[in-house]
Amino acid sequence: MICVCRKKENYKRTVFSCFIQAVYLLEIDRQENRTEENALAPNWWRSFKYKLTQTLIDERDGSIFGAVLEWDRAAALADMVLIRPSGAPKAVLALRGTLLKGPTIRRDIEDDLRFLAWESLRGSVRFKVALEALKSVAEMYGSSNVCVAGHSLGAGFALQVGKALAKEGVYVEAHLFNPPSVSMAMSLRNIGEKAGFAWKRLKSMLPSNGETLATIDDGEKTSTSGFRSWIPLLGYKTSMGSKNWAPNLYVNNSDYICCSYTDPDGTEDKKEADKENAGPANGQAAVKLFVMSSKGKQKFLEAHGLEQWWSDDVQLQQALHNSKLMSRQLKSLYTFPATRPAQRMPQ
């Protein structure tokens, strides 16, 4: 039995993690040919007065990877619940993570490897289906009445479909449990940043040789031929008029899949990192970070598990965190290409 705390932040954490568990069980129910009478999944949304209105199907293997759950007003009134609890949205898109069971494991691992290689899930058929579903409910109820939530791989999809809508000016609240933070693409980018930082240090010790300098938006001068030219933020300016989209991240430091989100230092030295993380200026993306407080090192499966997040006695540390990793992932929301000189039309 899950007791729901009525505090707004605890309500969302508990309910959304239960909805994601329901999606895991929807796929298991499907695989084990359970009927409506003995299905396990409905127990995870009915007690919160929600109903299932759509399942998201992976066309490659027919597996269920997501679901849309909407507030069930009739069920609520039947139990004398006259208004929705504070923080309860009208609709939630819930996305599960990797299920190491049965026929869906191949496609789950395929998308895991896609993220590991490219730090992107846009090439997956699941991305398109999830984005269309989120757009649909946002148009139906208004973006302020809709949330997207995911666990593990599902958190990766939730982050990227939420970001895609934010680029269109549609801001949907996102709750990401144990989101993936490790990829080969990120590792290569970190190597590039280390090289760029080393180049700046080296250049400061060299005498000027009269080479052309370019000024970037923070006033710093750097060589146009230096390593800085292949660091991602070059050539972009912060769009200060953009509304900040701040996803909610739930991470456990014992979980090596998501723990990189808690590191404010990144790849640069402490002094540079403190300067960079001083506030959400200069294009830094603020996130609402909830870190699991544990008394000791946990085993990976426990630290990465979903069940820790619906517990009533969970102890979390909360911070509005300027995560370098999240800033990198969301930088395109707050930047726009630098103005280029107009080209003359031929006479």
Side-chain angles (χ1 to χ4, degrees), residues 128-140:
K128 181 180 178 182
V129 174
L131 181 59
E132 289 176 352
L134 189 58
K135 273 185 178 180
S136 178
V137 290
E139 290 172 358
M140 183 182 303

Side-chain angles (χ1 to χ4, degrees), residues 217-279:
D217 29 272
D218 60 1
E220 175 194 2
K221 291 185 177 180
T222 185
S223 168
T224 56
S225 61
F227 287 110
R228 189 67 181 249
S229 63
W230 42 280
I231 291 179
L233 288 178
L234 185 68
Y236 284 80
K237 293 184 179 179
T238 303
S239 177
M240 300 308 291
S242 299
K243 176 181 177 181
N244 283 348
W245 181 63
N248 300 268
L249 272 64
Y250 303 84
V251 303
N252 188 318
N253 277 330
S254 295
D255 176 10
Y256 62 81
I257 288 181
C258 68
C259 63
S260 294
Y261 283 107
T262 65
D263 181 13
D265 291 342
T267 59
E268 300 181 353
D269 66 13
K270 187 72 170 65
K271 186 176 180 181
E272 287 290 316
D274 288 344
K275 186 189 302 181
E276 183 177 25
N277 289 290

